[in-house]
Amino acid sequence: MQITIASEKTTAVIDSFGAELHSLKDAAGSEYLWQADPAVWKRHAPVLFPFICNTDSKKYTYEGQVYSLANHGFARDSEFELASSDDKSAEFLLKSSAETLKLYPFDFELRIRYALSGNKLAVSYSVKNTDKKDMYFFIGGHPAFNVPMGGEDFSDYFVEYEKPETIIQEFKGKTTVIADSTAKVPLSHELFANDVFMKDAPKSSWIALVSEKSGRKIKLNYDPKGCIAVWSSYFEDKAVTEQAKFVCLEPWSSVPVYCDKEEDITKMSHAIKLAPEKEYVFEYSIEVGQ
Protein backbone atom coordinates (compact mmCIF):
# COMPACT_ATOMS: atom_id res chain seq x y z
CA MET A 1 0.00 0.00 0.00
CA GLN A 2 1.31 3.43 -0.94
CA ILE A 3 0.48 6.65 0.91
CA THR A 4 0.96 10.11 -0.59
CA ILE A 5 1.53 13.16 1.58
CA ALA A 6 2.06 16.72 0.36
CA SER A 7 2.88 20.27 1.40
CA GLU A 8 2.64 23.36 -0.76
CA LYS A 9 6.21 22.72 -1.98
CA THR A 10 6.83 18.97 -1.80
CA THR A 11 5.12 15.62 -2.38
CA ALA A 12 6.25 12.31 -0.88
CA VAL A 13 5.10 8.73 -1.49
CA ILE A 14 5.74 6.04 1.15
CA ASP A 15 5.12 2.32 0.72
CA SER A 16 3.93 0.27 3.69
CA PHE A 17 6.32 -2.51 2.62
CA GLY A 18 9.42 -1.54 4.55
CA ALA A 19 7.81 1.80 5.46
CA GLU A 20 10.06 2.96 2.64
CA LEU A 21 10.05 6.36 0.98
CA HIS A 22 9.51 5.80 -2.76
CA SER A 23 9.27 9.34 -4.15
CA LEU A 24 10.13 12.89 -3.18
CA LYS A 25 9.19 15.62 -5.65
CA ASP A 26 9.28 19.40 -5.55
CA ALA A 27 6.45 21.68 -6.67
CA ALA A 28 7.70 21.59 -10.26
CA GLY A 29 7.45 17.79 -10.29
CA SER A 30 11.20 17.09 -10.26
CA GLU A 31 11.94 13.69 -8.70
CA TYR A 32 14.78 13.72 -6.16
CA LEU A 33 14.66 10.08 -5.08
CA TRP A 34 16.31 7.20 -6.94
CA GLN A 35 13.68 5.09 -8.68
CA ALA A 36 15.18 1.69 -7.87
CA ASP A 37 16.49 0.23 -11.12
CA PRO A 38 16.88 -3.48 -10.17
CA ALA A 39 19.82 -3.87 -12.57
CA VAL A 40 21.78 -1.44 -10.41
CA TRP A 41 20.17 -1.19 -6.93
CA LYS A 42 16.57 -2.20 -6.32
CA ARG A 43 15.77 0.04 -3.33
CA HIS A 44 14.80 3.67 -2.76
CA ALA A 45 15.37 4.49 0.91
CA PRO A 46 15.32 1.38 3.11
CA VAL A 47 15.00 1.43 6.90
CA LEU A 48 17.97 -0.33 8.54
CA PHE A 49 16.92 -2.30 11.65
CA PRO A 50 17.93 -4.09 13.81
CA PHE A 51 21.37 -4.14 12.13
CA ILE A 52 23.32 -1.68 10.03
CA CYS A 53 25.31 -3.86 7.61
CA ASN A 54 26.24 -7.19 9.20
CA THR A 55 28.89 -9.31 10.89
CA ASP A 56 31.49 -10.92 8.64
CA SER A 57 29.88 -14.34 9.14
CA LYS A 58 26.29 -13.03 8.74
CA LYS A 59 25.62 -14.58 12.17
CA TYR A 60 25.45 -13.25 15.72
CA THR A 61 24.80 -14.68 19.18
CA TYR A 62 22.59 -13.86 22.15
CA GLU A 63 22.86 -15.84 25.39
CA GLY A 64 24.80 -18.54 23.57
CA GLN A 65 22.26 -19.06 20.79
CA VAL A 66 23.23 -18.38 17.17
CA TYR A 67 21.01 -16.19 14.98
CA SER A 68 21.27 -15.05 11.38
CA LEU A 69 20.14 -11.76 9.86
CA ALA A 70 20.20 -10.48 6.29
CA ASN A 71 22.32 -7.39 5.67
CA HIS A 72 20.72 -4.36 7.33
CA GLY A 73 18.16 -6.51 9.15
CA PHE A 74 14.53 -7.34 8.34
CA ALA A 75 12.61 -4.05 8.62
CA ARG A 76 13.26 -3.16 4.99
CA ASP A 77 11.58 -6.41 3.88
CA SER A 78 8.64 -6.33 6.30
CA GLU A 79 5.06 -5.17 5.81
CA PHE A 80 4.22 -2.33 8.22
CA GLU A 81 0.77 -1.35 9.48
CA LEU A 82 -0.45 2.14 8.67
CA ALA A 83 -0.82 3.58 12.18
CA SER A 84 -2.07 7.03 11.16
CA SER A 85 -2.03 9.50 8.28
CA ASP A 86 -3.27 12.90 7.17
CA ASP A 87 -2.51 15.21 4.25
CA LYS A 88 1.03 16.02 5.42
CA SER A 89 2.13 13.05 7.52
CA ALA A 90 2.00 9.28 7.85
CA GLU A 91 3.13 6.85 10.52
CA PHE A 92 3.83 3.14 10.07
CA LEU A 93 4.18 0.41 12.70
CA LEU A 94 6.05 -2.89 12.83
CA LYS A 95 5.73 -5.18 15.86
CA SER A 96 7.77 -8.22 16.76
CA SER A 97 6.19 -11.50 15.75
CA ALA A 98 6.84 -15.22 15.76
CA GLU A 99 8.75 -14.72 12.52
CA THR A 100 10.97 -11.87 13.75
CA LEU A 101 11.72 -13.74 16.98
CA LYS A 102 13.34 -16.50 14.93
CA LEU A 103 15.81 -13.90 13.64
CA TYR A 104 16.00 -11.46 16.53
CA PRO A 105 15.13 -12.55 20.11
CA PHE A 106 13.48 -9.36 21.37
CA ASP A 107 9.93 -8.02 21.48
CA PHE A 108 9.68 -4.49 20.11
CA GLU A 109 7.58 -1.86 18.36
CA LEU A 110 9.14 0.13 15.52
CA ARG A 111 7.32 3.27 14.37
CA ILE A 112 8.39 5.18 11.25
CA ARG A 113 6.88 8.65 10.79
CA TYR A 114 7.15 11.00 7.80
CA ALA A 115 5.96 14.61 7.97
CA LEU A 116 6.18 17.36 5.35
CA SER A 117 6.54 21.09 5.99
CA GLY A 118 7.43 23.30 3.05
CA ASN A 119 10.41 21.73 1.29
CA LYS A 120 11.45 19.63 4.32
CA LEU A 121 10.58 16.00 4.99
CA ALA A 122 11.07 15.08 8.66
CA VAL A 123 11.70 11.39 9.32
CA SER A 124 11.42 9.79 12.77
CA TYR A 125 12.24 6.22 13.80
CA SER A 126 10.93 5.22 17.24
CA VAL A 127 11.94 1.91 18.84
CA LYS A 128 10.13 0.72 21.98
CA ASN A 129 11.36 -2.26 23.97
CA THR A 130 8.22 -4.28 24.77
CA ASP A 131 10.27 -7.17 26.15
CA LYS A 132 11.14 -7.93 29.78
CA LYS A 133 14.87 -7.82 29.11
CA ASP A 134 17.32 -5.30 27.64
CA MET A 135 17.35 -5.24 23.85
CA TYR A 136 20.26 -4.40 21.56
CA PHE A 137 20.06 -2.94 18.08
CA PHE A 138 21.38 -0.60 15.41
CA ILE A 139 19.14 1.67 13.32
CA GLY A 140 19.56 4.06 10.40
CA GLY A 141 18.34 5.51 7.14
CA HIS A 142 19.53 4.78 3.59
CA PRO A 143 17.86 7.32 1.22
CA ALA A 144 19.19 7.34 -2.35
CA PHE A 145 19.03 10.57 -4.35
CA ASN A 146 19.10 11.07 -8.10
CA VAL A 147 22.53 12.22 -9.23
CA PRO A 148 22.69 13.74 -11.75
CA MET A 149 19.44 15.58 -12.48
CA GLY A 150 18.30 17.73 -15.35
CA GLY A 151 20.90 17.05 -18.06
CA GLU A 152 23.89 17.25 -15.72
CA ASP A 153 26.73 14.79 -15.22
CA PHE A 154 27.63 12.77 -12.13
CA SER A 155 30.89 14.70 -11.90
CA ASP A 156 29.02 18.02 -11.77
CA TYR A 157 28.12 17.19 -8.16
CA PHE A 158 30.00 17.26 -4.89
CA VAL A 159 29.28 16.18 -1.30
CA GLU A 160 29.23 19.14 1.07
CA TYR A 161 29.54 18.91 4.86
CA GLU A 162 28.48 21.69 7.20
CA LYS A 163 32.03 21.89 8.58
CA PRO A 164 35.44 20.62 7.43
CA GLU A 165 35.84 16.90 8.13
CA THR A 166 38.66 14.39 7.92
CA ILE A 167 37.37 11.07 6.57
CA ILE A 168 39.53 7.96 6.26
CA GLN A 169 38.11 4.96 4.42
CA GLU A 170 39.23 1.46 5.44
CA PHE A 171 38.46 -1.38 3.02
CA LYS A 172 40.08 -4.84 2.88
CA GLY A 173 43.28 -3.51 4.40
CA LYS A 174 43.40 -0.50 2.09
CA THR A 175 43.32 3.02 3.53
CA THR A 176 42.03 5.93 1.45
CA VAL A 177 41.80 9.58 2.50
CA ILE A 178 38.39 10.81 1.31
CA ALA A 179 38.53 14.21 2.99
CA ASP A 180 41.45 15.96 4.67
CA SER A 181 40.03 18.79 6.79
CA THR A 182 37.68 19.85 4.01
CA ALA A 183 33.94 20.38 3.69
CA LYS A 184 33.78 19.50 0.00
CA VAL A 185 34.27 16.09 -1.66
CA PRO A 186 33.96 16.00 -5.51
CA LEU A 187 31.87 13.10 -6.79
CA SER A 188 33.02 10.38 -9.14
CA HIS A 189 31.95 6.77 -9.54
CA GLU A 190 35.50 5.71 -8.63
CA LEU A 191 35.01 7.31 -5.21
CA PHE A 192 32.86 4.26 -4.35
CA ALA A 193 35.18 1.58 -5.74
CA ASN A 194 36.01 0.68 -2.13
CA ASP A 195 32.39 0.80 -0.94
CA VAL A 196 30.92 3.23 1.58
CA PHE A 197 32.77 6.08 3.29
CA MET A 198 31.57 7.29 6.67
CA LYS A 199 32.29 9.63 9.54
CA ASP A 200 31.50 8.71 13.13
CA ALA A 201 30.54 11.58 15.46
CA PRO A 202 31.16 14.24 12.79
CA LYS A 203 31.53 17.93 13.47
CA SER A 204 28.79 18.58 10.93
CA SER A 205 25.05 18.30 11.62
CA TRP A 206 24.15 18.29 7.93
CA ILE A 207 25.41 16.94 4.63
CA ALA A 208 24.35 17.87 1.10
CA LEU A 209 24.60 16.86 -2.55
CA VAL A 210 25.24 20.00 -4.58
CA SER A 211 25.48 20.62 -8.33
CA GLU A 212 28.33 22.88 -9.44
CA LYS A 213 26.42 23.54 -12.64
CA SER A 214 22.90 24.39 -11.50
CA GLY A 215 23.33 24.95 -7.76
CA ARG A 216 20.64 22.33 -7.11
CA LYS A 217 20.98 21.06 -3.54
CA ILE A 218 19.70 18.09 -1.55
CA LYS A 219 20.38 18.57 2.17
CA LEU A 220 20.12 15.98 4.92
CA ASN A 221 20.10 17.06 8.58
CA TYR A 222 21.04 14.49 11.24
CA ASP A 223 22.24 14.03 14.82
CA PRO A 224 26.06 14.37 14.80
CA LYS A 225 26.33 12.07 17.82
CA GLY A 226 25.79 9.21 15.34
CA CYS A 227 27.45 8.38 12.04
CA ILE A 228 26.93 9.78 8.52
CA ALA A 229 27.75 7.59 5.53
CA VAL A 230 27.85 8.12 1.75
CA TRP A 231 27.47 5.31 -0.79
CA SER A 232 26.67 4.47 -4.39
CA SER A 233 26.82 1.22 -6.38
CA TYR A 234 30.11 0.39 -8.09
CA PHE A 235 30.70 -2.52 -10.47
CA GLU A 236 33.69 -3.89 -12.34
CA ASP A 237 31.63 -3.40 -15.49
CA LYS A 238 31.99 0.31 -16.17
CA ALA A 239 28.83 0.40 -18.30
CA VAL A 240 26.76 -0.85 -15.37
CA THR A 241 28.46 1.55 -12.97
CA GLU A 242 27.54 4.44 -15.26
CA GLN A 243 23.88 3.50 -14.70
CA ALA A 244 24.28 4.02 -10.95
CA LYS A 245 22.91 7.54 -11.14
CA PHE A 246 22.33 7.98 -7.44
CA VAL A 247 24.12 8.73 -4.18
CA CYS A 248 22.93 7.65 -0.75
CA LEU A 249 23.27 9.97 2.24
CA GLU A 250 22.89 7.64 5.21
CA PRO A 251 22.31 8.81 8.81
CA TRP A 252 23.07 5.97 11.24
CA SER A 253 22.79 5.54 15.00
CA SER A 254 26.47 4.54 15.01
CA VAL A 255 29.11 2.91 12.87
CA PRO A 256 27.88 -0.42 11.41
CA VAL A 257 27.86 -3.85 13.02
CA TYR A 258 31.07 -5.08 11.39
CA CYS A 259 33.14 -2.33 13.04
CA ASP A 260 32.75 -4.10 16.40
CA LYS A 261 34.47 -7.34 15.24
CA GLU A 262 32.17 -9.07 17.72
CA GLU A 263 29.37 -11.62 17.25
CA ASP A 264 27.81 -11.45 20.74
CA ILE A 265 25.20 -8.72 20.35
CA THR A 266 25.44 -7.80 24.06
CA LYS A 267 29.16 -7.04 23.60
CA MET A 268 28.83 -4.89 20.48
CA SER A 269 30.06 -1.55 21.80
CA HIS A 270 28.20 0.45 19.15
CA ALA A 271 24.82 -1.24 19.64
CA ILE A 272 22.05 0.69 21.37
CA LYS A 273 21.07 -0.95 24.66
CA LEU A 274 17.44 -0.26 25.52
CA ALA A 275 15.82 -1.19 28.84
CA PRO A 276 12.33 -2.74 29.02
CA GLU A 277 9.46 -0.32 28.29
CA LYS A 278 11.92 2.39 27.23
CA GLU A 279 11.85 4.16 23.86
CA TYR A 280 14.64 5.30 21.56
CA VAL A 281 14.00 7.97 18.91
CA PHE A 282 16.22 8.52 15.88
CA GLU A 283 15.48 11.48 13.59
CA TYR A 284 16.69 13.11 10.40
CA SER A 285 15.25 15.40 7.74
CA ILE A 286 15.63 15.98 4.01
CA GLU A 287 15.39 19.37 2.28
CA VAL A 288 15.09 19.57 -1.51
CA GLY A 289 15.37 22.48 -3.92
CA GLN A 290 17.88 25.20 -4.57
Side-chain angles (χ1 to χ4, degrees):
M1 173 179 59
Q2 293 196 338
I3 300 296
T4 300
I5 59 176
S7 69
E8 67 280 8
K9 292 185 177 181
T10 318
T11 301
V13 178
I14 307 102
D15 198 296
S16 58
F17 187 77
E20 183 176 1
L21 182 66
H22 273 219
S23 175
L24 188 61
K25 294 181 179 180
D26 64 19
S30 295
E31 177 65 74
Y32 283 80
L33 207 69
W34 167 248
Q35 289 305 289
D37 179 354
V40 180
W41 190 58
K42 67 177 184 179
R43 302 182 189 269
H44 304 267
V47 175
L48 314 184
F49 174 86
F51 271 11
I52 298 170
C53 301
N54 213 334
T55 61
D56 290 341
S57 69
K58 314 297 184 186
K59 298 181 186 299
Y60 72 99
T61 65
Y62 176 71
E63 294 188 339
Q65 186 167 341
V66 178
Y67 296 87
S68 181
L69 276 176
N71 287 348
H72 296 316
F74 51 74
R76 64 182 186 168
D77 293 316
S78 298
E79 183 67 33
F80 283 65
E81 301 173 31
L82 177 62
S84 65
S85 67
D86 56 32
D87 291 347
K88 293 185 178 181
S89 68
E91 182 175 277
F92 300 84
L93 172 64
L94 178 68
K95 296 181 180 180
S96 53
S97 65
E99 292 305 309
T100 67
L101 288 169
K102 294 175 185 176
L103 305 171
Y104 179 67
F106 305 98
D107 285 316
F108 66 89
E109 291 183 357
L110 172 60
R111 293 180 183 270
I112 310 293
R113 186 174 189 271
Y114 298 90
L116 277 173
S117 177
N119 70 333
K120 179 183 286 188
L121 177 68
V123 185
S124 175
Y125 300 167
S126 169
V127 181
K128 184 177 181 180
N129 182 357
T130 57
D131 214 316
K132 295 180 180 180
K133 58 182 181 286
D134 293 339
M135 67 179 286
Y136 302 81
F137 63 93
F138 298 72
I139 194 165
H142 201 314
F145 301 101
N146 286 329
V147 175
M149 292 176 62
E152 300 167 327
D153 293 324
F154 197 86
S155 59
D156 289 330
Y157 281 75
F158 60 90
V159 176
E160 180 183 12
Y161 294 86
E162 177 191 17
K163 299 175 181 178
E165 302 282 1
T166 296
I167 301 172
I168 310 297
Q169 182 191 55
E170 302 285 346
F171 182 74
K172 295 182 178 179
K174 181 179 180 180
T175 299
T176 304
V177 178
I178 301 296
D180 186 4
S181 297
T182 182
K184 182 177 176 180
V185 179
L187 276 179
S188 67
H189 289 294
E190 289 68 33
L191 188 63
F192 303 102
N194 294 322
D195 205 46
V196 68
F197 61 87
M198 56 190 168
K199 181 66 177 179
D200 191 28
K203 299 173 185 176
S204 305
S205 61
W206 60 259
I207 190 173
L209 293 167
V210 186
S211 168
E212 293 270 19
K213 182 179 287 187
S214 67
R216 182 181 284 109
K217 187 172 187 175
I218 304 163
K219 182 180 178 183
L220 189 142
N221 307 280
Y222 57 87
D223 185 346
K225 292 192 295 292
C227 179
I228 186 68
V230 183
W231 176 79
S232 186
S233 289
Y234 183 85
F235 303 89
E236 292 297 328
D237 186 333
K238 185 176 180 180
V240 180
T241 295
E242 291 292 332
Q243 297 306 307
K245 297 181 179 181
F246 71 89
V247 174
C248 295
L249 303 179
E250 304 181 46
W252 295 344
S253 58
S254 71
V255 296
V257 173
Y258 63 76
C259 289
D260 275 310
K261 306 298 181 186
E262 173 63 61
E263 291 197 346
D264 183 340
I265 195 171
T266 68
K267 295 179 180 179
M268 293 179 182
S269 60
H270 295 101
I272 298 161
K273 178 181 178 181
L274 192 63
E277 298 304 317
K278 295 298 183 180
E279 184 179 9
Y280 175 87
V281 177
F282 180 82
E283 298 176 316
Y284 68 94
S285 65
I286 302 166
E287 297 176 52
V288 297
Q290 294 184 335

